[in-house]
Amino acid sequence: MYFYRILVQFKHKTLKQNYLFLVFIFFNSCQYLDKQIPSEKELLQKELKSINWKEVDEYPSVVDCEKIEDKKQRQQCFFDVLTQLIQEKLSVDTLAILYPELDTIEVKVTVFPNATMQFEPQFPKDSVAYDKIKIDSILKVRLVDFPKINPAIKRGIPVKIQFILPVILKVE
């Protein structure tokens, strides 16, 4: 009983001394309840603005480049392998015979999320020396049967990516 009396006295004394402090805490805590919870649309818009849509998390890749850890080196490996494959496929063609002055062609490569690719030749705007339709049809016929390509990845989702590769036709 003696300890009970001491405990009760201690409890009352502590509460009396801290009463103002508790009242202060109580009134200040109410302002935390007044904060507005952002809506789902606001959160989505904020997240969409924070995403850099100009870059992907992972560039497309081929099996030979998968073991490379560094992002830039893996990207360069992919570009090198793809350029070499395009050069090999076009080296046995008539482009060099039809257009002997054409030593390099820029090819716009599109890699789709389903890992398919599309190739488009890129010409200067003022270029009339080349039959664009003929060169495009040669590219479409020759640039097939590529090895499996893993698509570009953005936030864990396969995405479409486009880039332009300079392809040297005449290697001396």
Side-chain angles (χ1 to χ4, degrees):
M1 191 70 155
Y2 176 73
F3 289 112
Y4 178 75
R5 218 178 327 149
I6 292 175
L7 184 63
V8 170
Q9 287 176 355
F10 177 75
K11 186 177 172 183
H12 287 296
K13 188 175 184 181
T14 305
L15 282 177
K16 287 179 184 177
Q17 289 175 345
N18 292 324
Y19 179 73
L20 287 175
F21 179 71
L22 291 174
V23 169
F24 176 75
I25 296 278
F26 176 75
F27 284 114
N28 280 333
S29 66
C30 290
Q31 67 185 345
Y32 293 112
L33 299 176
D34 291 340
K35 285 190 176 180
Q36 294 293 325
I37 299 173
S39 72
E40 192 175 315
K41 287 182 181 180
E42 289 173 353
L43 288 174
L44 177 64
Q45 291 302 320
K46 185 178 178 182
E47 187 67 23
L48 288 175
K49 286 179 184 177
S50 70
I51 297 173
N52 182 358
W53 293 105
K54 303 272 187 221
E55 290 187 25
V56 293
D57 297 337
E58 291 181 35
Y59 275 86
S61 184
V62 291
V63 175
D64 296 342
C65 302
E66 286 293 318
K67 57 187 168 260
I68 299 173
E69 292 295 322
D70 184 57
K71 182 179 174 181
K72 292 287 186 193
Q73 288 178 349
R74 187 180 314 143
Q75 175 188 357
Q76 189 59 47
C77 175
F78 173 72
F79 288 157
D80 292 344
V81 168
L82 193 59
T83 302
Q84 181 182 1
L85 287 169
I86 293 172
Q87 286 173 343
E88 288 172 5
K89 290 179 181 284
L90 293 179
S91 67
V92 294
D93 210 301
T94 57
L95 275 178
I97 297 168
L98 288 174
Y99 304 102
E101 70 282 354
L102 187 65
D103 64 344
T104 302
I105 186 169
E106 288 189 342
V107 179
K108 180 177 171 184
V109 181
T110 306
V111 180
F112 294 96
N114 63 356
T116 58
M117 291 193 300
Q118 178 181 341
F119 302 95
E120 296 175 45
Q122 300 293 297
F123 300 102
K125 298 279 188 215
D126 58 350
S127 174
V128 291
Y130 310 115
D131 185 355
K132 296 175 184 179
I133 297 171
K134 188 179 277 187
I135 293 175
D136 188 45
S137 65
I138 291 171
L139 288 181
K140 284 189 183 351
V141 169
R142 286 293 182 190
L143 299 181
V144 293
D145 298 329
F146 277 87
K148 182 182 182 308
I149 292 185
N150 300 321
I153 303 291
K154 182 70 175 178
R155 300 190 132 216
I157 300 171
V159 293
K160 174 177 132 179
I161 188 169
Q162 293 181 321
F163 47 88
I164 296 177
L165 286 178
V167 178
I168 300 171
L169 299 174
K170 294 181 184 176
V171 180
E172 297 176 11

